[in-house]
Amino acid sequence: MKTIYFIGECMVELRENAEDMISRSYAGDVYNSAVYLKRCFADIQASVVTAIGQDSLSDKMLSRFKAEGLNTEFVFRHPEKNAGMYYIETDETGERSFTYWRSYAAAKKVVEFLTDDKMRTLATADMFFISGISLAVIDAQDRATFWLKIKALKEAGVTIVFDPNYRARLWQSEEEAVAQFEQAFALCDVALPGVEDLTVLFGVKTAEDVLTFCRQYAITEVVVKNGPESVITSLNGEKEHHPIVPVTTVVDTTSAGDAFNGVYLGARLTDHSIADAVQLAAKAAGTVIQHPGAIAPKEAFIQAMAAHGL
């Protein structure tokens, strides 16, 4: 069985429904990707590497992980901190805005739980996924230790995947983010950048610019996401354009990129070509944005993807 680990944060998601009541779910970029991968590729072991609290919301979050078929061996329970939380609102075009409560989030302390014993298990993985949000959430004083652990995984033969998901409000400064992103690019084997994520930090403005930027690093596989437009990939320096048919009915764009990432990586782990992986990932993203919230209803998502051979 192929194995992939997603390190980062899952949060309690609050959303106002039609009855002027608040509904609760769970979401976070790496968790979302793990869920969508597992829904499409049951034969891959997908694990979330995170820390949650001892509170009842954390209990329910852990139960949700298990219900989605995720491996929870690396979901650690912090004795004092709790799960982070956010409230989401969407406008008439499906664009979203967030209000966060995450300063006391247990996920900030996840590196402390990565003991030598746990690292030996991680060193047997096929892939290890990091996002820009993962890097921002980890306590700053733990990042040097984190990079030493990532280097050890790479040296053990684990494929390191990086999505430079940039959220300005999570960083003390742009310079801090740039320093962390540069380390991630230098170590990753697969990069999944969106054009918008690199514009502010590195001045790139087009998908072609992103590919040029990535060439300075020893990245084997680059997948450039450019919103609803085409995807450009580069495998060992060979570029390919992949046209995408945009979705006309957009309800909520939350986690479109996360769904893309999860399904793309699942497809690649199961030996799909890059072209097939991009198309499957685009279908997943297009399905997710037709539903409210980060996690689309399970049956509706699975049925939609089954129509495309998954």
Side-chain angles (χ1 to χ4, degrees):
M1 177 179 283
K2 295 293 182 69
T3 57
I4 180 170
Y5 291 81
F6 295 83
I7 190 167
E9 177 186 38
C10 184
M11 306 179 73
V12 179
E13 178 188 85
L14 302 179
R15 172 184 295 274
E16 188 174 310
N17 61 31
E19 290 75 36
D20 202 28
M21 301 288 286
I22 299 294
S23 61
R24 181 191 69 231
S25 186
Y26 302 93
D29 65 331
V30 296
Y31 166 72
N32 304 340
S33 293
V35 165
Y36 290 123
L37 182 152
K38 188 65 179 180
R39 287 181 178 183
C40 292
F41 302 96
D43 56 342
I44 295 176
Q45 178 179 284
S47 305
V48 177
V49 182
T50 192
I52 59 177
Q54 305 283 352
D55 55 288
S56 62
L57 284 176
S58 292
D59 291 341
K60 292 179 174 66
M61 182 182 290
L62 184 60
S63 295
R64 182 64 60 85
F65 292 172
K66 294 176 179 178
E68 289 287 355
L70 302 179
N71 176 41
T72 59
E73 177 186 359
F74 282 76
V75 179
F76 307 107
R77 308 297 296 264
H78 196 280
E80 299 173 355
K81 296 185 179 296
N82 301 319
M85 182 180 297
Y86 70 92
Y87 176 69
I88 183 170
E89 298 174 277
T90 53
D91 63 21
E92 61 276 5
T93 66
E95 286 301 318
R96 69 273 193 225
S97 60
F98 304 90
T99 302
Y100 291 99
W101 298 268
R102 72 196 322 164
S103 59
Y104 205 62
K108 292 176 175 289
K109 300 294 184 181
V110 65
V111 175
E112 297 177 4
F113 293 93
L114 298 181
T115 61
D116 290 345
D117 182 56
K118 294 298 183 183
M119 290 301 298
R120 281 190 287 271
T121 299
L122 291 176
T124 67
D126 293 289
M127 282 184 176
F128 191 88
F129 181 94
I130 309 162
S131 79
I133 294 176
S134 307
L135 298 179
V137 168
I138 292 171
D139 272 348
Q141 64 266 28
D142 292 334
R143 289 182 188 142
T145 299
F146 175 74
W147 288 121
L148 290 175
K149 294 180 184 296
I150 297 303
K151 289 178 183 177
L153 294 182
K154 186 178 179 71
E155 291 170 357
V158 180
T159 297
I160 307 301
V161 183
F162 177 53
D163 173 16
N165 202 346
Y166 177 60
R167 298 292 181 269
R169 72 172 71 186
L170 296 179
W171 296 94
Q172 294 296 317
S173 66
E174 290 181 8
E175 291 75 19
E176 180 189 38
V178 166
Q180 293 302 305
F181 280 32
E182 286 178 339
Q183 291 201 62
F185 280 120
L187 284 172
C188 74
D189 303 288
V190 179
L192 301 166
V195 175
E196 291 182 0
D197 295 318
L198 300 189
T199 298
V200 174
L201 297 182
F202 299 101
V204 298
K205 297 180 180 179
T206 69
E208 294 286 351
D209 289 343
V210 174
L211 282 185
T212 300
F213 170 84
C214 288
R215 288 193 190 104
Q216 66 186 296
Y217 302 100
I219 305 172
T220 302
E221 190 169 332
V222 181
V223 182
V224 184
K225 299 165 289 183
N226 196 14
E229 300 178 24
S230 65
V231 172
I232 300 179
T233 61
S234 175
L235 178 63
N236 295 317
E238 292 196 16
K239 184 172 66 175
E240 188 174 358
H241 290 261
H242 308 268
I244 303 299
V245 178
V247 173
T248 56
T249 304
V250 177
V251 175
D252 186 346
T253 59
T254 304
S255 82
D258 306 333
F260 185 101
N261 289 347
V263 174
Y264 179 85
L265 295 174
R268 295 295 284 150
L269 281 170
T270 51
D271 299 323
H272 286 71
S273 68
I274 282 187
D276 286 346
V278 167
Q279 292 304 319
L280 290 171
K283 294 298 183 185
T287 299
V288 167
I289 65 177
Q290 296 179 66
H291 298 275
I295 302 297
K298 190 171 187 177
E299 289 306 315
F301 179 81
I302 291 175
Q303 287 178 11
M305 295 307 296
H308 300 287
L310 290 181

